[in-house]
Amino acid sequence: MAQGLTAAGTALLLALAAVFLLRPGGVIDSGMVRASYDALYHLVPDPGPSLADAPVVLVYLDRESYLREHQDPEAPWDRRLHAALVRRLTAAGARAVVFDIVFDGPGPDPAADRELAQAFRDNGRVILAAELNDWRRQTGGAPDVATVAPLLPYEPLKASAAGWGLASLRVDDDFTVRRSFAGFDAGGLPSLTAATARFLGVPDATAAPAGGRWLRYAGPPLALPHVGFSSALREDEVPSGFFRDRIVMVGARPMVTGFVERRDEYRSPWPESGGGGAFLPAVEIHATQMLNLVRTDLLRRLPGGGELALLLALAVSLPALLFALRPLPATVVALGAEALLLVAVAVAVALRSGGYWFPWLIVAGVQIPGALGGAVVFRSVEWYRQRRRLEAERRVAAARIREQAALLDKAQDAILVRDAAGAVTYVNPATEKLSGWSRAEWLSGEASGRVFAPSASRLPEAEAACVGCGEWLGELEWCPREGGPRTVQSRWSLIRDDAGRPAARLLINTDITEKKRLEAQFLRAQRMETIGTLAGGMAHDLNSALAPVLMGIQLLRRDASDPETRRMLSVMEENTYRGADMVRQVLLFSRGASDERTLVQPGGVLAEMERIVRHSFPHDIPVHLMAPADLWPVWVNPTQLHQVLLNLCINARDAMPRGGELTLAADNVRLTPAEAAAIPQGRAGEFVLLIVSDTGEGISPENLAHLFEPFFTTKPAGKGTGLGLATVARIVAAHEGFVNIESEVGRGTTFEVYLPRAEVVASAADGGTPSTSPRGQGEGILVVDDDRA
């Protein structure tokens, strides 16, 4: 009811404003109507159709013509020059010659008058200008023409011309000519352009349609085709084709230095390019009226009753529409209506479609803003009242929540209450203890965003489930002020107000961090126990399977005489032993056992690994070895070192499914504290650096942090166990070394293994003879096993 009454009141005010702005003789003569007309030319910078072939052209008595023809600016022109111009135009075939110059008496030279009259008769299409004896009538503003006494042209010239008309214009009080002036039909006094149009037979030249006629300007000043008087006399400067079949308007172009000195010039609604208002000579305004009449191009206003009906309809419909919308949509609709009005009225209707227009600024400047303002004020008052009511209800609900929260202060779980906007309104002491943030920091909102930051993406899910189902249960990650992240089991319950609407959320959070850690340790222990059991069961069977292979290789090597065959059998024997060692290493990894270490020259290990890889890897993966001869020795388990290098080489091969290059390298390095700080787990000292580098697919940054975790693998199911790099990390760490990784996706990966330099004992440094393996004296060996092979 209130909305309807307010909308009706707004509609009534807008209707009264429209009637007031349109009433005759009121604001219409100096306000919205003129502004609407003038704005059309500001909105449409394009002057419309090209004027190159316009049927009307101008001949100016301009400053250059005064100088070239030696005429006194304070005296009338020599009429012989006018006669010469008429003869030139007669020869050029001009359609008509219209003089905006009043020849009100005889000239100083009667012979010149006779010559001009003869030129008029020879042409037969000359229209002369007359003047009125009153300035108000001169500007077309005299409603009473009973006593009009026009100052007619000199009779001999008038008799020789084809017609005459008043050189008057309908000028508004701001010196702007907006409407066409047809003369005073009651006194038989046509205007200069109306007389010309009647002479040329232009249909409907003086009829005044309903709504009146308004000038359609062709463009900025001097937009119409024009030449100077002196140039028009000379065919070598202006060809005859310029005047042929055209109406030639001849008039003065005043020479002024300021606004107060302007003579026979009027403002044009068309803006100047640099800003400000343009001024037009009267002859150009006459030419514009003539162009409008010939093209039937005058602008027309809608009939008075039609304009009023349109504005009244808008006064009713705009409030009805905007009051039904909220302020923001109403503003969007109002702006859209303004834009539509600018395009439809100013461009499509006024300047491109039929020549009709109406005072559209009344709609754009009064009705649309008035309707929008009324709608916004009404909605603002309504919103304020509703807000007051909701605030009162919220205070009641908050009081009830505080009463209930007082019972929860003794709970061991972290309990919070969040309102509908997400603000925390209550926390119990356990929440302060678990999070490390005080109650005041929680209530201010400072703690909530930081504590829930790790689980921010899950909060909308919890909120939606709580509102939709009344409850949500799940795990969230908390970030306390001190200590590491905490895992809590969170239960969200929806609290409703008396009307059944969601009012708040009750969060009960139980810290299960330790429970989750123990579960993870238990699962890891189970996996390691399983691996140990499997490895222990596999070791005996695999060794039994490898024993016949070893014996067969030894027997074959005894009888082989070819050096290449013996070399290949030796390689097979070494790799068979290494296979057995690898099974033992899995057992070592699962049980955490260590093995014996000895002094090893890493260059030999790299060379041996290079031979194995070169013979076993695909041919599209060339292997490069770079190891200096002076490498420091390292104190390691040789089998475990082989396993480290082999695991890294296998990973490099798998990273190059379409081929690539594998590089094995080594060097002696001394790490400074600054250099060691840049390497994870690094430390300063002397190390032997072993490098395994490939040109494969590289490792993404998100996977780098998990490479050494047991069972983590980026390979497809069935392609990897996730134990290779975990074993590498455990072996290197057991040898007091560390690993550094450099990888770029699409460019390759480099593993750097740092092993501490071993202190060489004196005998080894002096080149002592190494011990030899024990050898028998031809005795027999009995092997007893339950496996027939």
Side-chain angles (χ1 to χ4, degrees):
M1 178 64 72
Q3 177 178 329
L5 291 176
T6 307
T10 303
L12 179 60
L13 291 176
L14 295 179
L16 292 175
V19 172
F20 175 76
L21 294 175
L22 282 179
R23 67 186 177 90
V27 181
I28 185 173
D29 289 331
S30 59
M32 289 293 186
V33 176
R34 291 184 183 178
S36 299
Y37 174 85
D38 295 345
L40 298 179
Y41 297 96
H42 290 266
L43 292 173
V44 186
D46 179 15
S50 172
L51 297 176
D53 298 325
V56 180
V57 297
L58 290 162
V59 175
Y60 283 120
L61 280 71
D62 53 8
R63 183 176 182 274
E64 182 181 0
S65 298
Y66 272 96
L67 295 175
R68 292 181 66 180
E69 303 303 330
H70 307 289
Q71 297 298 301
D72 182 3
E74 301 298 330
W77 270 57
D78 186 349
R79 292 186 179 179
R80 286 188 176 86
L81 294 175
H82 292 304
L85 177 64
V86 173
R87 288 194 297 270
R88 170 76 204 286
L89 297 178
T90 301
R95 185 179 178 187
V97 182
V98 182
F99 278 92
D100 185 24
I101 302 172
V102 181
F103 301 105
D104 57 345
D109 185 355
D113 291 345
R114 291 193 296 271
E115 183 179 345
L116 181 59
Q118 185 60 44
F120 287 171
R121 285 191 294 271
D122 293 342
N123 182 278
R125 296 183 298 276
V126 177
I127 309 297
L128 298 179
E131 285 185 334
L132 295 174
N133 57 6
D134 181 30
W135 184 85
R136 291 186 306 109
R137 299 189 182 100
Q138 184 73 10
T139 57
D144 181 12
V145 296
T147 60
V148 168
L151 183 62
L152 298 179
Y154 180 45
E155 183 58 33
L157 298 180
K158 174 175 169 291
S160 303
W164 63 272
L166 297 176
S168 299
L169 295 170
R170 190 173 182 180
V171 185
D172 294 326
D173 55 12
D174 61 349
F175 297 98
T176 303
V177 179
R178 296 181 176 87
R179 283 164 285 186
S180 176
F181 175 63
F184 303 110
D185 288 339
L189 302 174
S191 68
L192 184 63
T193 52
T196 305
R198 290 176 183 175
F199 170 75
L200 295 175
V202 176
D204 194 27
T206 58
R213 282 180 166 174
W214 297 63
L215 290 181
R216 183 197 293 270
Y217 281 93
L222 302 182
L224 287 170
H226 60 280
V227 294
F229 191 102
S230 182
S231 297
L233 294 175
R234 295 166 173 80
E235 188 169 3
D236 58 337
E237 295 186 16
V238 181
S240 298
F242 180 79
F243 301 111
R244 185 169 294 115
D245 294 327
R246 285 178 161 180
I247 302 170
V248 182
M249 307 287 293
V250 184
R253 185 177 182 190
M255 293 175 287
V256 297
T257 58
F259 176 79
V260 296
E261 297 182 15
R262 291 189 178 275
R263 300 187 298 274
D264 204 25
E265 278 197 327
Y266 305 96
R267 289 185 186 274
S268 167
W270 202 285
E272 290 183 332
S273 59
F279 280 86
L280 299 178
V283 66
E284 187 163 342
I285 299 177
H286 288 305
T288 299
Q289 291 189 90
M290 195 72 250
L291 181 66
N292 288 173
L293 290 174
V294 173
R295 288 182 171 180
T296 62
D297 205 23
L298 284 162
L299 295 175
R300 301 179 182 181
R301 281 184 60 187
L302 295 174
E307 285 185 350
L308 183 59
L310 176 61
L311 294 175
L312 291 179
L314 291 173
V316 174
S317 59
L318 286 172
L321 172 63
L322 298 182
F323 271 73
L325 303 174
R326 294 291 180 185
L328 183 57
T331 302
V332 173
V333 170
L335 293 177
E338 294 275 8
L340 182 62
L341 188 63
L342 291 177
V343 174
V345 176
V347 179
V349 177
L351 297 180
R352 292 290 182 269
S353 177
Y356 281 97
W357 73 285
F358 78 104
W360 57 277
L361 279 181
I362 296 177
V363 180
V366 176
Q367 291 188 323
I368 293 178
L372 177 62
V376 170
V377 170
F378 173 78
R379 289 296 181 184
S380 299
V381 173
E382 183 184 51
W383 170 82
Y384 177 74
R385 291 176 178 174
Q386 184 177 7
R387 180 181 177 183
R388 292 287 301 273
R389 183 172 62 254
L390 291 177
E391 287 179 349
E393 295 174 354
R394 188 181 296 113
R395 285 194 295 270
V396 173
R400 184 178 294 110
I401 292 174
R402 286 193 296 271
E403 292 174 1
Q404 296 171 352
L407 303 176
L408 305 176
D409 286 346
K410 301 299 182 182
Q412 297 301 312
D413 293 332
I415 301 176
L416 304 89
V417 176
R418 291 161 50 108
D419 61 16
V424 176
T425 60
Y426 168 80
V427 294
N428 70 339
T431 303
E432 300 180 71
K433 181 179 179 181
L434 177 62
S435 67
W437 294 82
S438 67
R439 174 185 176 87
E441 291 170 328
W442 275 99
L443 297 182
S444 67
E446 181 182 1
S448 181
R450 299 191 181 184
V451 173
F452 285 104
S455 300
S457 59
R458 298 201 62 192
L459 295 184
E461 171 194 347
E463 179 72 19
C466 183
V467 174
C469 304
E471 191 171 76
W472 177 81
L473 178 64
E475 293 182 2
L476 298 176
E477 293 295 325
W478 271 29
C479 181
R481 170 174 280 177
E482 298 178 357
R486 313 293 293 180
T487 302
V488 298
Q489 186 177 57
S490 186
R491 179 185 295 275
W492 293 35
S493 299
L494 186 65
I495 301 175
R496 300 182 179 273
D497 58 16
D498 294 337
R501 292 172 297 191
R505 287 82 173 143
L506 175 65
L507 283 65
I508 302 177
N509 305 279
T510 303
D511 185 5
I512 58 172
T513 306
E514 187 64 21
K515 176 182 176 183
K516 299 288 288 185
R517 188 182 66 81
L518 293 176
E519 287 179 354
Q521 289 182 348
F522 177 70
L523 292 175
R524 189 179 297 111
Q526 282 187 324
R527 287 199 303 270
M528 302 310 295
E529 182 180 356
T530 301
I531 292 174
T533 303
L534 291 175
M538 291 169 56
H540 174 72
D541 293 339
L542 187 56
N543 285 330
S544 297
L546 293 176
V549 176
L550 284 171
M551 287 188 288
I553 291 172
Q554 293 168 355
L555 291 174
L556 290 173
R557 186 171 59 184
R558 181 192 308 172
D559 298 332
S561 60
D562 181 16
E564 180 64 20
T565 301
R566 294 177 64 85
R567 188 184 68 80
M568 290 299 300
L569 290 173
S570 298
V571 172
M572 293 171 61
E573 182 180 15
E574 291 174 1
N575 281 278
T576 304
Y577 277 122
R578 189 161 293 114
D581 286 340
M582 289 181 184
V583 175
R584 185 166 63 254
Q585 291 306 318
V586 174
L587 188 62
L588 289 174
F589 175 79
S590 63
R591 297 176 179 175
S594 61
D595 205 353
E596 296 180 358
R597 302 182 187 181
T598 184
L599 199 63
V600 173
Q601 291 294 336
V605 178
L606 280 177
E608 184 179 353
M609 184 58 58
E610 187 266 344
R611 283 197 308 274
I612 296 173
V613 170
R614 186 182 300 277
H615 287 90
S616 57
F617 278 17
H619 294 296
D620 58 355
I621 302 179
V623 184
H624 307 285
L625 175 64
M626 293 181 291
D630 59 346
L631 285 176
W632 295 328
V634 290
W635 189 260
V636 296
N637 182 303
T639 302
Q640 290 181 348
L641 181 58
H642 276 95
Q643 184 175 358
V644 167
L645 294 174
L646 184 59
N647 282 343
L648 295 180
C649 290
I650 291 174
N651 280 346
R653 180 201 64 188
D654 294 342
M656 296 183 288
R658 290 177 295 276
E661 295 186 1
L662 176 64
T663 301
L664 303 178
D667 198 5
N668 300 325
V669 296
R670 291 182 175 87
L671 292 181
T672 65
E675 294 171 335
I679 303 175
Q681 310 298 326
R683 66 182 186 278
E686 295 181 337
F687 298 89
V688 174
L689 171 62
L690 304 179
I691 297 176
V692 179
S693 178
D694 64 70
T695 59
E697 299 173 342
I699 304 171
S700 62
E702 57 269 19
N703 289 331
L704 279 176
H706 305 284
L707 284 183
F708 297 116
E709 295 179 2
F711 307 107
F712 176 82
T713 179
T714 59
K715 300 176 183 178
K719 298 293 184 179
T721 63
L723 288 175
L725 291 179
T727 302
V728 168
R730 189 193 64 79
I731 292 174
V732 174
H735 287 77
E736 300 179 356
F738 47 89
V739 182
N740 186 37
I741 308 173
E742 295 182 357
S743 182
E744 183 177 351
V745 176
R747 299 292 297 273
T749 303
T750 298
F751 281 86
E752 299 176 347
V753 178
Y754 293 83
L755 296 175
R757 174 184 182 181
E759 294 294 335
V760 181
V761 297
S763 60
D766 296 338
T769 303
S771 60
T772 59
S773 300
R775 306 183 66 84
Q777 301 297 327
E779 299 89 349
I781 298 177
L782 174 63
V783 179
V784 180
D785 198 284
D786 58 357
D787 190 326
R788 174 178 288 277

